Every structure is written in structure tokens, then in C-alpha cells.
Amino acid sequence: QVQLVESGGGSVQPGGSLRLSCAASGYTRSSWCMGWFRQAPGKEREGVAVIGRSGGTYYVDSVKGRFTITQDNAKNTLYLQMTSLKPEDTATYYCAARFGGQSYACYVGRTVDSKDFDRWGQGTLVTVSS
């Protein structure tokens, strides 16, 4: 049973930084890709960043240059380094992964469509406020 557990959320002032972590366990083969999504109050869930098994990455325009997604395979952990945080980054952040079914877009890290991911964490809250 694959489990994804996020940590690292919290409150920070605008311009500050946070690093989210996602510990993965319970799997016997690598995921096709892993990603970060977020959902703000009253809004739909949106993809933020993805990293494919190939190492390719993709970021939504609103976070380009500010967020960095990385993966430590030795620790089975996914990270999201967030800098220059803005109030509009306030949301619950979810870690997600695709383990079942081959997906080229996922493999090269070119999709942030939630339908392409089949495992989800419980989320961690990030609040950016002065």
C-alpha cells in the first residue's frame, strides 16, 4: 500500500521561504512521476510542479522562478522548495504520484493534470500572511 506523507507546511510572511517534504513508502517500483498540487479555499485544486522519472520538470507559470521541485530517491522523499512566497500561495499543498499505467507525459514530467496521478497525500497547509 503506497503512502505519501507531507510535512513542512506552516505560516510565513510574504517574501519568506518554506520547504515541503513528501515521504513515500509501501511501493516496490518507482513512480512514473511525482508532483505537488495545491488547493486554496473556495478554489479548485491546481497542479504546481511535477518531476518525471526521467528527471524532467514542469512548473505552472505562477510559481516559475520561485519554486523548485526535487527528489531524493535514496530517501524516497519529494521536496518543494518555495521562495519569495506571496499571499496568493496560501493553500493546502498535496503530494501526488503515478504508480499505475505507463504515461509518457508523466515520465518526462510534462503533466500537472490531477487525473494523471493515482496516489495522494493528506496535504499540508501553507499560509502566507503579514
Side-chain angles (χ1 to χ4, degrees), residues 9-16 18 20 37-46 48 62-63 66-67 80 82-94 123-130:
S11 295
V12 63
Q13 292 186 340
L18 279 176
L20 305 183
F37 291 75
R38 66 186 179 186
Q39 187 167 19
K43 295 188 177 181
E44 293 186 355
R45 185 175 299 187
E46 68 166 345
V48 174
S62 60
V63 307
R66 300 189 298 123
F67 291 10
L80 185 68
M82 305 185 294
T83 63
S84 301
L85 282 162
K86 305 175 181 179
E88 50 264 43
D89 294 318
T90 295
T92 297
Y93 283 72
Y94 298 89
T124 185
L125 179 63
V126 172
T127 303
V128 184
S129 174
S130 55

Side-chain angles (χ1 to χ4, degrees), residues 23-40:
S25 63
Y27 57 92
T28 57
R29 55 184 173 85
S30 299
S31 63
W32 289 104
C33 61
M34 296 190 74
W36 289 97
F37 291 75
R38 66 186 179 186
Q39 187 167 19

Side-chain angles (χ1 to χ4, degrees), residues 62-82:
S62 60
V63 307
K64 281 181 181 178
R66 300 189 298 123
F67 291 10
T68 303
I69 187 170
T70 56
Q71 192 170 20
D72 186 333
N73 292 322
K75 295 182 179 180
N76 297 330
T77 303
L78 180 74
Y79 301 99
L80 185 68
Q81 179 67 50
M82 305 185 294

